[in-house]
DNA sequence: GATGAATGAGTTTTCATTCAT
DNA sequence: TATGAATGAAAACTCATTCAT
């Protein structure tokens, strides 16, 4: 009991630090964020950070992990209420889009991490851990497509792996573009992110649905 | 004549340095690449780099610019032989895909730049310049879609801006995913990048073509 | 209370660093003194210097300011006990001479600063600040001469501005010569600085005093 | 003959380089002046400078020497037409003042050199050489005072060494102040340098002349 | 003689991490 | 636990000097 309370307290402080760190990592990137800034933003002393995280890297990866875990939880939640594979696939896309809007900081941190991924040392256990989290999500997509082809909600002629890759790439690409280039797109068009996503989903659902036969 | 020769020589050396720098920027990112490493890789002394580029930033942005210029040239070239808007749009996608394969370093450098873009000082003229280059390409896509709708090769019911954004986000997202996650995908599937792209293009062409009416 | 203690501690450390830096600046000049040397001399790590001074320039100018402030305080002190303008002028000269002997490092630092003054960026606020300090001292001389002419202790026929400039130039010139060329003069004569200054003051007092009429 | 011509040509080029270097040394100081700038200003290639001067230091000291030699020549010239010691002393002061006005660059270079003197390596033969030149001038002053005391034009009660030191310090101090602080003095008074010098000479002549007895 | 590209040692500054209090 | 002063390795950049042409 007592340990739990302590752990809980510790966990809360860790979250506090990550909340501060996250914002800076997003804004300025991993390299340009200093421990001094993180300490200042979290209103703690520099040394204190090292009581909760062993290094700057640890702090970064733990933050990324928290974000990925949250995304995974939301996706799982969304899928639970779906009655067939097609709906699951659509739900995953919608959840991802909503995540990027409602948990903007988490989303941007994941993005920062993924685009930098190759620059981190692959053998680092933290890197591997985050890698696996991404894989879990992709596997969920593959199994949903399979389920859909089996229950007849997704066109049987589609290649499971191919379409999964394409779909995941499309959705992540789209969300990233909209997120990174929000200001640019605002300049080019009056559309807000939601409208662009809706349009994409509308166009893509038709491509995917079993009623049409490609 | 003499001046041309000198300029040419200087240009060649600049390219030599950029070739070396590029690889490091891609591998380790802008921040993690040091001028000492670049010097070593290009087999020159550190000071020599500063004879050709005023700063590390200058070297980076000039490299990005070279890559973007090359992409733009290839796209222009590809479009020239197309007989209608639909073909132009398809050509742009194909060129982009091929660019990511044939000019892998250039592609990855652009990617590195674009994903870090928000972390650079926006008011920097170099940043603005690269920004504009991206815009040019997007504008080309918009005008190709417009042309396609006019010449009847693209479905008139599609919203020009919306579909342009979606298409560009899809294609860049797809290429990025395939590029960044090449090893991951290799693990998941036997498909090579080319096959994934072909599949995407096949699926998308149907969505776009005027014959079908969504 | 606690804050005072902290501030005091910080101030002491700053003084410690300045003491070390000063000696090097005097010996080798601003340019030829490196932060590494200053760190070594003050027995601190290089990085520590930057906890107390934002840059080498800051360290230099803060040291100059401390020296000028001290000089100004001594002059003010000396003037307080004078009963007429003539005595004030003489007091200023004596204080300046004594300062150059008793606070040799401070004096030499000011000298180093003033002879390099034109090489610093005039628009720098630090430069301006030091400039003003010098002006304050000159103004004090002018007002003392004026006072002396009014109270009858200085010859009324003398032009206030002219004589102030000449006196100040003479005294600073003399002190500088004696300071810079100490070794040279030692070679030429058995006189020590004090004797030279006394001789100058003796000769000059006559020139200045109201009893004689030039 | 031929050698003379070559030497002459070489000498001319050396002077050309020194003219350019001098201006930069005065403006920005020895340290802040780069060989590249000197090359540019003298419209020669950087490597060419090293054909005429073995190092930056050599270039600097040779320039200083040229300036000191010129001053010495002017002083000698001025002294030649004087009929007694008193006149010689006055002539030296006037020549020095005029030198600071008519050969401003030379004067400022000497000044820069002398105020930095202690920062140069004393054992350097170039430093010694310049040192000796200064000594020659001072010795000339001492012998003029002696001559004046002998020929009755200077008050016999004055101590030769003391008064020589004081006079030389005063005049060099005054000229330096006026030169370094020209802008400052312009702000404080409408007097031009010439007027300040005249005033000094007028005041000092009285102090010195044999008619008065101190 | 003349050139200017190339060199690399040396400079200022930053910042993750440690540790005495 | 919490602090923040101290550390020193590492980075970008400069510039006197050399040397092949």
């Amino acid at each position: 009991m007592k340990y739990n309370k302590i752990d809980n307290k510790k966990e809360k402080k860790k979250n506090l630090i990550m909340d501060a760190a996250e914002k800076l990592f997003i804004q300025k990137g991993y390299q340009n964020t200093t421990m001094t800034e993180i300490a200042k933003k979290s209103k703690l002393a520099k040394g204190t950070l090292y009581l909760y995280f062993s290094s700057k890297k640890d702090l970064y990866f733990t933050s990324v992990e928290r974000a990925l875990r949250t995304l995974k939880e939301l996706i799982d939640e969304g899928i639970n209420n779906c009655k067939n594979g097609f709906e699951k696939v659509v739900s995953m896309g919608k959840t991802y889009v909503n995540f990027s809007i409602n948990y903007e900081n988490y989303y941007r941190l994941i993005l920062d991490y993924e685009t930098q991924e190759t620059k981190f040392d692959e053998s680092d256990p933290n890197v591997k851990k985050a890698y696996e989290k991404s894989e879990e999500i992709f596997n969920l997509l593959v199994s949903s497509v399979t389920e859909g082809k089996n229950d007849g909600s997704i066109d049987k002629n589609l290649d499971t792996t191919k379409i999964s890759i394409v779909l995941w790439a499309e959705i992540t690409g789209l969300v990233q573009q909209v997120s990174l280039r929000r200001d640019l797109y605002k300049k080019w068009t009056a559309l807000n992110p939601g409208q662009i996503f809706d349009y994409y989903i509308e166009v893509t659902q038709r491509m995917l649905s079993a009623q049409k036969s490609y």
Side-chain angles (χ1 to χ4, degrees), chain A:
Chain A
M1 275 300 106
K2 201 188 162 200
Y3 280 110
N4 268 339
K5 229 190 246 166
I6 285 172
D7 277 12
N8 207 18
K9 213 172 152 189
K10 192 164 185 175
E11 213 52 45
K12 269 191 180 159
K13 205 131 197 178
K14 282 185 94 167
N15 274 307
L16 185 101
I17 295 171
M18 286 195 280
D19 288 344
E22 201 174 59
K23 281 172 203 153
L24 291 164
F25 284 141
I26 290 165
Q27 236 175 70
K28 329 174 60 170
Y30 175 76
Q31 289 283 352
N32 297 316
T33 300
T34 70
M35 290 303 266
T36 305
E37 285 171 315
I38 297 173
K40 206 173 181 180
K41 189 144 205 156
S42 53
K43 286 175 184 169
L44 290 167
K46 220 188 314 184
T48 310
L49 303 183
Y50 286 87
L51 294 177
Y52 297 92
F53 299 94
S54 67
S55 69
K56 186 183 171 188
K57 231 175 168 177
D58 181 29
L59 170 51
Y60 179 76
F61 282 114
T62 309
S63 303
V64 170
E65 213 205 317
R66 181 178 69 163
L68 279 170
R69 195 179 348 108
T70 305
L71 171 58
K72 181 63 167 42
E73 281 165 12
L74 289 170
I75 286 179
D76 286 343
E77 226 172 83
I79 274 185
N80 269 349
N81 303 322
C82 296
K83 52 179 195 296
N84 61 34
F86 176 77
E87 280 190 6
K88 282 187 180 174
V89 172
V90 173
S91 163
M92 283 184 75
K94 284 186 173 168
T95 301
Y96 191 76
V97 165
N98 289 332
F99 178 76
S100 78
I101 293 168
N102 300 329
Y103 295 77
E104 198 188 342
N105 283 350
Y106 281 15
Y107 169 70
R108 291 181 86 106
L109 186 63
I110 292 175
L111 184 58
D112 182 81
Y113 163 70
E114 294 199 330
T115 54
Q116 300 294 120
E117 212 176 307
T118 51
K119 279 122 199 176
F120 292 118
D121 182 12
E122 287 178 51
S123 63
D124 192 304
N126 289 108
V127 177
K128 271 189 187 152
K129 218 167 161 184
Y131 209 76
E132 283 162 16
K133 214 71 185 177
S134 299
E135 209 168 340
E136 277 178 36
I137 294 173
F138 182 77
N139 287 337
L140 211 55
L141 180 60
V142 173
S143 64
S144 298
V145 170
T146 308
E147 196 182 321
K149 282 170 69 176
N150 287 339
D151 66 26
S153 62
I154 290 181
D155 184 346
K156 279 202 170 53
N157 297 314
L158 292 166
D159 178 293
T160 306
T161 313
K162 277 181 182 170
I163 200 71
S164 297
I165 289 176
V166 167
L167 282 173
W168 195 240
E170 278 183 6
I171 194 75
T172 53
L174 188 67
V175 172
Q176 176 183 337
Q177 288 292 322
V178 172
S179 175
L180 283 182
R181 303 181 163 269
R182 170 168 314 190
D183 297 336
L184 198 58
Y185 286 147
K186 206 170 275 166
K187 206 176 120 195
W188 289 342
T189 163
L191 302 171
N192 62 41
Q195 291 172 304
I196 297 175
F197 292 138
D198 286 346
Y199 193 75
Y200 166 72
I201 288 171
E202 178 199 328
V203 168
T204 304
Q205 277 184 344
R206 293 198 203 159
M207 175 183 93
L208 211 60
S209 74
Q211 291 85 341
K212 304 259 166 197
S213 63
Y214 293 106

